[in-house]
Amino acid sequence: ILETDINYMRRLQDFYHDNRWSHPEYETIEEEKVNGKDYYTIGVLDFEKNVITETINIDTSKKRARQEAARKALIKFNQI
């Protein structure tokens, strides 16, 4: 079985740097506890420091939420 581990945050950072933009930034929009579990709502910021709506993601892990937000940003930028 082949397992693919794609680091979308790294790919997004490379895309930003290739375009001579600053590092991508992630914002935690909300943190909430539901039934004893923490949930994080995270999105990627645009150049004016606004959250790109299409990148918002919710997960119980900040890292996974950032990875998925980065993946959504790459889709928005037509990179995947």
Side-chain angles (χ1 to χ4, degrees):
I1 298 173
L2 293 175
E3 186 176 320
T4 304
D5 179 30
I6 299 173
N7 187 335
Y8 294 111
M9 290 173 63
R10 177 60 179 213
R11 287 182 64 183
L12 183 61
Q13 179 175 308
D14 290 344
F15 172 71
Y16 271 47
H17 289 171
D18 288 347
N19 286 286
R20 299 182 189 269
W21 300 338
S22 63
H23 293 299
E25 294 183 48
Y26 302 85
E27 181 168 310
T28 302
I29 300 163
E30 184 177 19
E31 292 183 36
E32 63 180 328
K33 190 176 286 279
V34 177
N35 295 328
K37 280 192 165 183
D38 293 324
Y39 286 85
Y40 304 96
T41 304
I42 293 176
V44 178
L45 299 179
D46 66 14
F47 304 108
E48 296 176 342
K49 306 293 183 193
N50 299 308
V51 174
I52 303 170
T53 306
E54 297 89 345
T55 68
I56 295 172
N57 189 61
I58 301 170
D59 203 302
T60 56
S61 159
K62 283 185 179 182
K63 182 177 181 178
R64 283 193 310 262
R66 286 187 191 114
Q67 282 288 348
E68 182 61 16
R71 186 186 73 80
K72 290 177 177 181
L74 288 164
I75 290 170
K76 178 170 175 50
F77 294 128
N78 297 315
Q79 296 302 301
I80 57 173

